[in-house]
Amino acid sequence: MSTATPHCHASTVEQDGLVYQTGLGNQFESECIPGALPRGRNNPRMVPFGLYTEQLSGTAFTAPRAENRRVWLYRIQPSVTIGAAESLPQEPQFAGGCDPRACEAAIDPLRWHPYPVDGAAGVEYDFVSGLKLQCHAGDPAMREGLAIYLYSFGTNMKDLQTHFVDHDGELLIMPQQGSLDVLTELGRLIVHPTELVVIPRGVVFQVNHFEGESKGPIPGTSPTATARGYMLEVYKGGFALPELGPIGSNGLANARDFLHPVAWCVAQSDYEKPCCIVAKMQSQLYAKSSTHSPYNVVAWHGNYSPYKYNLERFCAVNSVTYDHLDPSIYTVLSCQSEHVGTALADVVLFPPRVLATDANTLRPPWFHRNVMSEYMGLLYGSYDAKVSSGTDGAGGFVPGGSSLHNAMVPHGPDAATYVRAVADPCDAPVLLNRGLAFMFETYLPLRVNPQALRDEAWRDVDYTACWQDLTAADFTGWDWVNGTVGTTREEDDR
Ligand SMILES: [Fe+2]
């Protein structure tokens, strides 16, 4: 019998000087004071270290076990000690600066440049005041729908002593420029460009510039630079991994690559500073004053926690013979509607990958119309369906920009991409590695902030010109259509 000591790897990893717990959907537990987490029961009469017990439920108590999400918090003061809510004393009263009910239907293909932050020079924005609502559907009061925002900020929330909590939905944040230092009730996460972070409904958090080394393809943004990115909010439920079906038990986003924080508590000198918690309820913002920091959870256990995921860990799957699979094959996370297989919101990635299809497969995406609405963003580089994109300053679909093809709105590769792809002999597999694009896809038609439709410094008003060179000039069948030649069909190779 071997006497060697077995090696055990705890399910934690360390990044940027922080420890994370790995997995998705599992039960986590963490304490930043040894012995603070009660054992054997959730709600003892005498809580270690004089802590208070508080349960945060993300689903109904009676939700099926596989969907049930809750966390037990052991904290210095319970959340009820935070003051009553008051309406914000100044604009904007609505998250993202726009009343979602004012958004408008949009039937044209739409594309936007990065939001022109410089146009607001002299105004200091933090993460919350720097949100810009772009697209919206549904109603948070009915727990149905979603909202898509851009964010940009130069000021840390910690410098303003503000925090944010969303009663309306779960938030998914994708930094495009600038690494984020995200403080939450359950711990701290550093989130770099090419990573995403999910903040569950009801969790208080704060977003600051990361003062360490900013990583990702956008080099070296300093702590004072503008940070910017995208944010998706879902009013129903939360995000989960998609089913894998015949793919099997591995692939796409693997559960072990999701990182959850460990318990983290501010020092006493910071704890006793008055602060403001900005709360969002039914799209409106309120201010709650507090005599103390909300980051006072000394221990917690459960499965309702913020988490982050590195998109570069995505294991892409697609055809190695001919044609493309539908883009759902690139789904990272999904928030399902009540229709089986139909998403309120899919988060879809177009990662660097090998295109290994045969010589008679058009490698860019096909032209299509989709019952789903497709919002796209670009984290870096260029997107393979648009040659007019990139970092050459020529406009088009550029990093930080976005596009929307609403339900049934035609779209596809631009004319130059199509012509180039038809001419490509495609005689060998090729590594497609020009950028990182993503898509938020929803079964709801999206309505658009009126400013996003009319602000010509923001909207790319010439977008549809990219398809106008797809003319009928190459069609060789007019004689057949016009009946001026015989009607015998030639054999083909099907
Ligand atoms: Fe599409």
Side-chain angles (χ1 to χ4, degrees), residues 179-446:
S179 298
L180 305 178
D181 188 343
V182 183
L183 306 183
T184 80
E185 289 179 278
L186 279 76
R188 184 178 168 201
L189 307 97
I190 306 299
V191 187
H192 300 288
T194 72
E195 293 183 322
L196 61 80
V197 61
V198 170
I199 310 290
R201 183 198 310 264
V203 171
V204 180
F205 70 102
Q206 181 184 73
V207 179
N208 302 307
H209 293 283
F210 175 50
E211 294 177 351
E213 182 183 358
S214 184
K215 294 180 180 175
I218 307 299
T221 49
S222 71
T224 56
T226 296
R228 72 183 188 194
Y230 307 85
M231 185 170 85
L232 171 63
E233 177 185 29
V234 289
Y235 301 143
K236 176 198 290 290
F239 295 100
L241 291 171
E243 297 296 339
L244 289 179
I247 294 174
S249 53
N250 301 285
L252 309 189
N254 288 307
R256 70 191 293 241
D257 292 325
F258 289 78
L259 305 183
H260 298 249
V262 294
W264 177 86
C265 184
V266 294
Q268 188 173 10
S269 56
D270 286 329
Y271 180 69
E272 294 169 346
K273 290 178 180 172
C275 61
C276 174
I277 297 176
V278 178
K280 181 166 97 71
M281 170 71 92
Q282 296 190 38
S283 304
Q284 296 196 47
L285 299 177
Y286 299 86
K288 298 181 177 183
S289 60
S290 176
T291 59
H292 56 271
S293 169
Y295 311 123
N296 62 63
V297 176
V298 173
W300 61 266
H301 79 88
N303 60 356
Y304 192 59
S305 161
Y307 58 83
K308 73 167 189 168
Y309 174 73
N310 183 350
L311 297 167
E312 293 173 335
R313 290 285 181 95
F314 188 78
C315 179
V317 172
N318 210 314
S319 171
V320 291
T321 53
Y322 62 89
D323 283 353
H324 299 265
L325 306 187
D326 291 321
S328 49
I329 197 66
Y330 300 127
T331 302
V332 180
L333 289 167
S334 183
C335 176
Q336 287 290 296
S337 76
E338 291 171 2
H339 306 282
V340 174
T342 302
L344 170 65
D346 274 340
V347 178
V348 177
L349 187 68
F350 299 101
R353 60 199 182 275
V354 172
L355 300 181
T357 44
D358 70 357
N360 195 24
T361 293
L362 186 80
R363 285 184 168 170
W366 53 75
F367 300 106
H368 61 288
R369 293 175 291 165
N370 188 355
V371 68
M372 309 287 276
S373 301
E374 302 180 11
Y375 174 96
M376 283 192 65
L378 186 61
L379 297 174
Y380 68 88
S382 60
Y383 174 58
D384 57 306
K386 299 287 190 294
V387 296
S388 54
S389 64
T391 56
D392 57 1
F397 188 46
V398 299
S402 51
S403 67
L404 173 64
H405 305 112
N406 236 330
M408 293 301 176
V409 171
H411 59 287
D414 61 22
T417 300
Y418 182 77
V419 169
R420 187 181 65 185
V422 170
D424 183 351
C426 295
D427 51 5
V430 61
L431 173 62
L432 181 72
N433 190 19
R434 293 199 295 267
L436 190 62
F438 70 90
M439 178 165 67
F440 298 151
E441 182 174 283
T442 173
Y443 83 123
L444 295 175
L446 287 164

Side-chain angles (χ1 to χ4, degrees), residues 21-304:
Q21 306 176 86
T22 65
L24 191 64
N26 34 322
Q27 301 286 337
F28 299 100
E29 60 179 53
S30 181
E31 59 188 11
C32 58
I33 301 175
L37 189 66
R39 302 290 170 186
R41 64 183 62 218
N42 295 322
N43 188 30
R45 181 172 63 84
M46 300 293 288
V47 186
F49 296 97
L51 297 166
Y52 294 88
T53 302
E54 181 179 295
Q55 184 180 210
L56 175 61
S57 295
T59 54
F61 296 139
T62 49
R65 181 177 286 266
E67 301 170 14
N68 209 303
R69 298 169 75 198
R70 60 89 180 89
V71 63
W72 285 93
L73 309 172
Y74 303 95
R75 59 194 317 160
I76 298 171
Q77 286 182 268
S79 299
V80 290
T81 56
I82 294 171
E86 300 176 4
S87 294
L88 277 191
Q90 75 283 335
E91 298 288 342
Q93 302 292 346
F94 293 98
C98 173
D99 181 350
R101 295 166 298 185
C103 289
E104 300 178 14
I107 197 168
D108 289 326
L110 295 170
R111 188 162 69 185
W112 291 272
H113 312 297
Y115 183 70
V117 179
D118 294 343
V123 179
E124 290 190 346
Y125 292 103
D126 68 3
F127 176 80
V128 176
S129 62
L131 286 174
K132 175 65 68 178
L133 179 68
Q134 192 171 7
C135 303
H136 188 269
D139 182 354
M142 299 302 292
R143 291 278 166 87
E144 178 61 73
L146 70 159
I148 298 171
Y149 307 81
L150 302 175
Y151 74 80
S152 58
F153 67 90
T155 301
N156 289 324
M157 292 175 72
K158 67 180 181 182
D159 295 332
L160 303 176
Q161 289 294 327
T162 58
H163 314 275
F164 187 56
V165 60
D166 189 356
H167 295 238
D168 287 340
E170 186 156 289
L171 301 173
L172 183 148
I173 301 166
M174 296 177 91
Q176 187 267 321
Q177 183 172 297
S179 298
L180 305 178
D181 188 343
V182 183
L183 306 183
T184 80
E185 289 179 278
L186 279 76
R188 184 178 168 201
L189 307 97
I190 306 299
V191 187
H192 300 288
T194 72
E195 293 183 322
L196 61 80
V197 61
V198 170
I199 310 290
R201 183 198 310 264
V203 171
V204 180
F205 70 102
Q206 181 184 73
V207 179
N208 302 307
H209 293 283
F210 175 50
E211 294 177 351
E213 182 183 358
S214 184
K215 294 180 180 175
I218 307 299
T221 49
S222 71
T224 56
T226 296
R228 72 183 188 194
Y230 307 85
M231 185 170 85
L232 171 63
E233 177 185 29
V234 289
Y235 301 143
K236 176 198 290 290
F239 295 100
L241 291 171
E243 297 296 339
L244 289 179
I247 294 174
S249 53
N250 301 285
L252 309 189
N254 288 307
R256 70 191 293 241
D257 292 325
F258 289 78
L259 305 183
H260 298 249
V262 294
W264 177 86
C265 184
V266 294
Q268 188 173 10
S269 56
D270 286 329
Y271 180 69
E272 294 169 346
K273 290 178 180 172
C275 61
C276 174
I277 297 176
V278 178
K280 181 166 97 71
M281 170 71 92
Q282 296 190 38
S283 304
Q284 296 196 47
L285 299 177
Y286 299 86
K288 298 181 177 183
S289 60
S290 176
T291 59
H292 56 271
S293 169
Y295 311 123
N296 62 63
V297 176
V298 173
W300 61 266
H301 79 88
N303 60 356
Y304 192 59

Side-chain angles (χ1 to χ4, degrees), residues 477-487:
W478 282 122
D479 289 344
W480 291 84
V481 172
N482 296 334
T484 55
V485 297
T487 56

